[in-house]
Amino acid sequence: MRKKIVAGNWKMNLDYQEGVSLFSEIAHMVKDEVYGQQEVVVCSPYIHLYALAELSKGIDRISVGAENLYQEEAGAYTGEISAKQIKSTGASYVIVGHSERRAYFGETNEVLAQKIDVALKFQLKPIYCVGETKEERESEQYFEVIREQLQKGVFHLSAEAFAQVVLAYEPVWAIGTGLTASPEQAQEVHAYIRKCVAEKYDETLANDTTILYGGSCNPKNAPDLFSQADIDGGLIGGASLKSRDFTDIVKVFN
Ligand code: PGA
């Protein structure tokens, strides 16, 4: 059975102390209340990673991830953070290709492919995000957009390397807007993504691939979304900043 994952994405929120305190609350709740097989990942700003990774020690199902990384291994890239540096904090995941990175920082599928490679080289598991804009949905181009994001971003990988990747479908129009994709809309795309993986690799690998949904996911809509056949959990923005909301989403899999 493929892994179920609920991942938080704090984005550029919380100072150091606030982050440590939120993570401590989440970790306690996970320890006391979560009894399923689901994995919890908290993706935070770089400044929190080491402290959160230390706090996560000894709690089985919780791990820590970064929200981005730089595509080069090391060198004169003032202000950037490498995969090796992230790995050295104790983090084990990294989000690659979030739509905010694509839109505000001009990250192309080609650059994202490099980020995927360097993440895997340093044993970080990428959470690779794909998703269409409102215009692309309305003009019914979303399947093509998503196929291209997959082809250029991750389908250059060997099957062995691809097996380390978690995918996340995040329709841009649903992120931070309160407009969630309906369970049927999300399921349609998740099934399509799984089909693309099966065509590129094989059915077994497609069936083993964890595909998360992201975009205004909350404790109310998570049960319907997560009960869809091809939705294996969520990538949670706003609701991951409240310990109760976040763990209630995690507990959908209890
Ligand atoms: P949201 O963000 O849950 O606030 O919509 C999701 C994301 O951007 O990953």
Side-chain angles (χ1 to χ4, degrees):
M1 259 314 268
R2 55 183 175 260
K3 229 187 232 178
K4 307 289 184 195
I5 298 176
V6 177
N9 172 14
W10 287 357
K11 310 195 178 184
M12 198 176 72
N13 293 298
L14 308 174
D15 65 23
Y16 177 76
Q17 286 76 10
E18 290 165 342
V20 166
S21 128
L22 174 62
F23 188 87
S24 306
E25 282 173 33
I26 292 171
H28 276 114
M29 290 177 178
V30 167
K31 208 170 167 187
D32 297 344
E33 301 170 27
V34 174
Y35 48 81
Q37 292 302 309
Q38 67 273 44
E39 192 176 327
V40 182
V41 181
V42 173
C43 297
S44 76
Y46 299 123
I47 60 155
H48 299 106
L49 291 176
Y50 176 73
L52 306 193
E54 287 292 304
L55 287 168
S56 74
K57 284 184 180 162
I59 306 173
D60 272 354
R61 326 178 178 73
I62 193 161
S63 35
V64 174
E67 300 173 10
N68 180 36
L69 78 168
Y70 196 61
Q71 61 268 28
E72 300 294 339
E73 278 185 39
Y77 302 102
T78 302
E80 293 300 327
I81 306 279
S82 73
K84 185 166 188 263
Q85 291 171 324
I86 293 168
K87 185 70 186 177
S88 73
T89 66
S92 43
Y93 283 85
V94 60
I95 299 174
V96 177
H98 190 280
S99 66
E100 287 149 19
R101 301 289 322 170
R102 292 178 188 264
Y104 307 148
F105 303 96
E107 294 189 0
T108 60
N109 289 320
E110 290 72 16
V111 165
L112 297 173
Q114 289 177 267
K115 293 194 179 204
I116 293 278
D117 289 344
V118 75
L120 290 170
K121 179 164 181 188
F122 290 93
Q123 288 91 44
L124 288 170
K125 290 183 207 131
I127 301 176
Y128 181 65
C129 304
V130 299
E132 80 285 1
T133 62
K134 186 161 175 279
E135 296 69 42
E136 288 159 351
R137 173 149 287 263
E138 284 166 353
S139 60
E140 307 214 330
Q141 286 173 286
Y142 53 103
F143 285 141
E144 283 129 75
V145 171
I146 289 163
R147 177 177 281 272
E148 192 180 352
Q149 290 169 337
L150 292 169
Q151 269 167 351
K152 295 190 174 159
V154 284
F155 282 177
H156 62 287
L157 296 172
S158 67
E160 198 190 2
F162 182 83
Q164 301 304 310
V165 176
V166 173
L167 298 176
Y169 169 54
E170 297 210 307
V172 180
W173 48 273
I175 296 178
T177 57
L179 288 175
T180 322
S182 69
E184 295 73 26
Q185 281 174 323
Q187 167 58 26
E188 181 194 35
V189 175
H190 281 237
Y192 176 72
I193 292 172
R194 206 175 298 286
K195 183 170 137 246
C196 292
V197 176
E199 282 166 13
K200 168 68 197 174
Y201 299 99
D202 58 48
E203 290 284 346
T204 312
L205 187 47
N207 278 325
D208 288 347
T209 303
T210 298
I211 310 176
L212 310 179
Y213 168 79
S216 299
C217 193
N218 60 42
K220 271 213 175 104
N221 58 32
D224 280 346
L225 286 161
F226 295 0
S227 66
Q228 300 296 310
D230 290 292
I231 301 185
D232 308 310
L235 181 54
I236 319 296
S240 73
L241 296 170
K242 293 193 189 121
S243 54
R244 181 40 69 205
D245 283 0
F246 184 62
T247 45
D248 279 350
I249 297 173
V250 173
K251 282 158 63 185
V252 168
F253 287 115
N254 270 7

